[in-house]
Amino acid sequence: MADPVPAPAPADDPGNRGRLVVKDRAIAKIATTAALQVPGVVPHRNGLTRLTGRDLPRADVSTGSRSVAVNLYLGVQWPCDVAELTRRVHGEVGDRVEHLSGLPLHRLGVYVAGTVPAPPDTDPADNPTGPAPVAADTVVAPRPPAATPAAVPAAVAIAVGLLAVAAATARELLIVRGTISGVPWIRNSVEWVARLHWERWLVPASLAALVVGVLLVLLALAPRTRTHVPTRRRPDGSAPTVWLRPVDIARLCSVRAGTVAGVRTAHTTVNRRRATVQVTTPPEGAPTGLEDAVADAVTDSLTVLDRPLRVTVKTRRPRGTA
């Protein structure tokens, strides 16, 4: 007797309706929207993120067959209690993602990727996560801008030499094992050094090695050269936070000197102690007191610096004039 044929499933059976797929972009939108509901999390963008389109909050989502993982990058109002804020974000985002997507949350990483200063008239009660108290002794003075250490070229040369030694050692190993054929460099070099006796050229070679060694030690201990000049300190005496390049100071001096009557063009060179301004006067000659007027104008513009520079003014006529 043949088995009975099962009856076809009804047309409205859930199994015949297809399947639901939640895209990563949708889960990312759910996560960022939920994060913005937490007090202290704010939208954040700057010039770079506007170009790259990576505004905050932003979510990177990885969806599996049975769960989902989210990395959440936030912008927050500062100062705030970061531990409390991230705890609230975990709770809000986790519940919202699991409820709306139907997928259990395997992992949620919260990263504070940007800060926005809180408005000065903000009521602390409006932001339960902050502001956090900041102790005065925790303020660290910023480091002044400095050039690349002088030992960098020597370090690069030593690193390249070590890579060459590693390559020669690997070649020697392959020759000993018979993998490749060739003349062993290391063994021949060691045998040559073992047979070496006193020669006259050893004296200059030893002196050269001594000079190179002392030079490398001096380069390693040399302080980094400052590349910027600090502006005036705050009234409370705190460390400067704004620094200017010498070329910026030179341009400032040239522009200020160019506003003095009788100056056609101005060019400035700046070093650590002095600003030298060379001005071109009209063909008929420099007006009386021009150098003093330029020096006063330039000195007044340099009051923004933490350490005053000595101003020297030199005048000259245009080329082709007697």
Side-chain angles (χ1 to χ4, degrees):
M1 182 176 182
D3 296 333
V5 178
D12 59 345
D13 188 279
N16 295 333
R17 298 175 188 172
R19 60 192 184 96
L20 174 64
V21 178
V22 182
K23 295 291 187 180
D24 292 352
R25 184 180 302 179
I27 297 178
K29 185 64 176 180
I30 294 172
T32 55
T33 304
L36 289 173
Q37 304 304 315
V38 177
V41 179
V42 295
H44 176 64
R45 63 171 56 185
N46 53 32
L48 182 60
T49 58
R50 288 176 182 177
L51 294 176
T52 59
R54 298 175 67 84
D55 299 340
L56 301 177
R58 186 179 76 255
D60 293 339
V61 179
S62 177
T63 305
S65 58
R66 298 183 179 179
S67 62
V68 61
V70 179
N71 286 331
L72 191 60
Y73 301 88
L74 304 178
V76 301
Q77 281 190 347
W78 188 261
C80 69
D81 187 346
V82 177
E84 176 64 17
L85 184 141
T86 53
R87 186 186 65 82
R88 295 190 176 206
V89 170
H90 267 278
E92 181 71 20
V93 175
D95 292 343
R96 194 69 62 86
V97 168
E98 292 185 353
H99 176 70
L100 296 180
S101 68
L103 295 173
L105 189 62
H106 173 68
R107 181 177 60 85
L108 174 60
V110 180
Y111 304 92
V112 177
T115 58
V116 176
D121 56 348
T122 301
D123 187 357
D126 297 337
N127 185 10
T129 62
V134 179
D137 57 353
T138 60
V139 179
V140 180
R143 293 183 179 181
T148 304
V152 168
V156 173
I158 293 173
V160 172
L162 292 177
L163 291 176
V165 171
T169 304
R171 177 181 179 276
E172 196 85 2
L173 177 62
L174 295 177
I175 292 175
V176 171
R177 291 182 174 272
T179 306
I180 62 175
S181 60
V183 179
W185 295 340
I186 297 178
R187 186 180 64 184
N188 293 346
S189 300
V190 172
E191 292 177 353
W192 177 78
V193 172
R195 295 193 303 267
L196 193 61
H197 297 283
W198 171 255
E199 298 289 346
R200 291 183 178 180
W201 60 266
L202 290 176
V203 175
S206 301
L207 294 177
L210 178 63
V211 171
V212 171
V214 173
L215 179 61
L216 291 178
V217 172
L218 294 178
L219 290 177
L221 299 178
R224 299 173 62 182
T225 304
R226 291 189 178 183
T227 58
H228 292 63
V229 178
T231 57
R232 180 176 293 181
R233 298 172 183 263
R234 298 178 181 177
D236 57 2
S238 58
T241 56
V242 178
W243 298 74
L244 297 176
R245 299 177 301 172
V247 65
D248 298 326
I249 300 175
R251 291 170 179 170
L252 175 65
C253 296
S254 298
V255 171
R256 191 67 180 89
T259 61
V260 179
V263 176
R264 298 185 62 182
T265 60
H267 176 74
T268 307
T269 57
V270 175
N271 55 29
R272 298 181 63 180
R273 298 182 179 180
R274 177 180 301 179
T276 303
V277 184
Q278 295 183 353
V279 297
T280 302
T281 62
E284 59 272 14
T288 304
L290 178 63
E291 293 186 358
D292 294 337
V294 173
D296 293 341
V298 173
T299 302
D300 182 66
S301 64
L302 293 180
T303 55
V304 298
L305 301 180
D306 185 46
R307 296 179 181 179
L309 297 178
R310 186 168 53 183
V311 178
T312 302
V313 180
K314 298 181 180 180
T315 60
R316 63 179 181 181
R317 292 186 180 183
R319 295 182 179 180
T321 59

